[in-house]
Amino acid sequence: MKTRAIMLKLIAVIFIAAVEVHTVPAQIPPATHARILKLEDERNLNNGELEKLLENASPNTRARAALAIGRIGDKSGTNGLIVLFRNEKIDAVRVMTAFALGEMEDQAAIDALQSAIDNSRESFELRARSAEAMGKILSVPSNIESTGKTGIERLNESIIKLLPLPSAMLPPQQRDLTGLLITALMRIRSASSVEPLTLQLKSRNPEIRSQAANALSRLRLPIATSVPALIKSLSDADEDARANAARALGVTRDKSAVDPLIAGLSDN
């Protein structure tokens, strides 16, 4: 019995030690936070000072430093963000790092973001935030040119695959993250996005229907195949969806939309 008691006590000590090893400070120390804010305000990486914080023991500090680097936008900080994005164990920190990489608009981040988007083992939030970042990067003309048409189509298709079925009733978080996917497709402006965006006009979620119509209106591409679905959307129960459908129909300049749009003049 005495031996058993000693063993149980030893196991308890080992367990507590293991928890302590994996426990990191929850909050950013005030002095560190103030320093990050100062460097961010000055738009200054300060010769690697902010990048060094990406290795800090506190996940909150790592995430906040990543955000500061993204907001500063100095591309010398891109590599540190990519390393953190690939190696970080905490999903929330990776999500923030993905956002920061999008703010950088640096083509060097494409491979890392692509890997996350294509990895079904990653959280939907991380994949959606990576898609959002990709959309920002590929909305820069020089990045579009250097990535090439084939590369852009491959990346665009990866984002399309993440779109939910229109029949799915999405919980609030997934609905918001789906909006990020739609925005990414809108920014990349590929003709292959027209059909999947048109399908989202049938979503059970009014916010998604509205965002899909808005994206179609801003693609700056021919969307003639969407006209029948957009005309039907003029009768949508959601007023934002109706308004965005009307705007998209205006972009098409399709004469079949004239009478339905005139009827829309009396919309409540």
Side-chain angles (χ1 to χ4, degrees):
M1 289 295 290
K2 185 176 181 180
T3 302
R4 183 171 181 271
I6 292 172
M7 288 299 296
L8 288 173
K9 185 175 181 180
L10 180 60
I11 290 170
V13 169
I14 293 172
F15 175 76
I16 292 168
V19 171
E20 288 176 349
V21 166
H22 292 91
T23 299
V24 292
Q27 300 299 324
I28 305 173
T32 302
H33 198 185
R35 183 61 179 161
I36 293 173
L37 290 172
K38 185 175 188 297
L39 292 173
E40 180 180 285
D41 185 58
E42 294 173 349
R43 299 292 186 265
N44 179 18
L45 298 180
N46 198 31
N47 296 319
E49 181 180 353
L50 271 178
E51 292 101 304
K52 186 65 177 175
L53 289 174
L54 299 177
E55 304 170 10
N56 192 275
S58 164
N60 282 353
T61 298
R62 295 196 298 274
R64 188 60 185 84
L67 177 61
I69 292 171
R71 285 175 171 172
I72 291 169
D74 183 338
K75 289 182 172 52
S76 65
T78 300
N79 187 61
L81 291 176
I82 292 173
V83 171
L84 179 63
F85 183 75
R86 288 189 182 278
N87 299 330
E88 175 63 50
K89 302 303 181 185
I90 298 178
D91 203 58
V93 179
R94 295 186 71 202
V95 166
M96 181 62 80
T97 307
F99 178 81
L101 286 169
E103 294 293 282
M104 297 289 279
E105 298 183 342
D106 191 338
Q107 188 187 13
I110 285 179
D111 287 346
L113 293 169
Q114 178 73 34
S115 295
I117 293 169
D118 289 339
N119 188 351
S120 60
R121 292 174 294 180
E122 302 284 13
S123 69
F124 184 68
E125 181 177 13
L126 180 66
R127 298 172 82 187
R129 286 293 180 185
S130 297
E132 176 191 32
M134 189 79 77
K136 292 178 181 178
I137 293 169
L138 292 180
S139 65
V140 177
S142 59
N143 290 340
I144 294 173
E145 184 177 349
S146 54
T147 302
K149 184 176 181 180
T150 301
I152 288 175
E153 286 305 317
R154 177 173 59 86
L155 299 171
N156 199 69
E157 186 61 31
S158 294
I159 297 173
I160 289 172
K161 288 178 181 178
L162 293 179
L163 289 172
L165 293 173
S167 59
M169 191 64 197
L170 306 178
Q173 184 188 34
Q174 189 177 357
R175 181 194 65 212
D176 294 342
L177 293 172
T178 299
L180 298 181
L181 302 177
I182 291 173
T183 300
L185 295 175
M186 179 188 73
R187 284 176 166 152
I188 295 173
R189 294 195 173 100
S190 168
S192 62
S193 295
V194 174
E195 181 179 353
L197 287 173
T198 302
L199 285 175
Q200 293 300 315
L201 295 175
K202 299 178 181 179
S203 172
R204 294 180 64 190
N205 301 266
E207 297 88 350
I208 299 301
R209 298 196 300 271
S210 177
Q211 290 167 357
N214 174 59
L216 287 168
S217 74
R218 298 172 64 182
L219 275 179
R220 301 179 189 172
L221 293 168
I223 57 169
T225 56
S226 302
V227 169
L230 288 168
I231 290 176
K232 189 173 182 179
S233 292
L234 291 176
S235 301
D236 195 292
D238 182 77
E239 61 182 29
D240 287 334
R242 297 197 301 275
N244 281 308
R247 184 164 56 160
L249 285 168
V251 171
T252 69
R253 299 185 179 183
D254 192 305
K255 63 182 181 181
S256 66
V258 172
D259 287 341
L261 288 170
I262 288 175
L265 294 174
S266 60
D267 188 279
N268 290 333

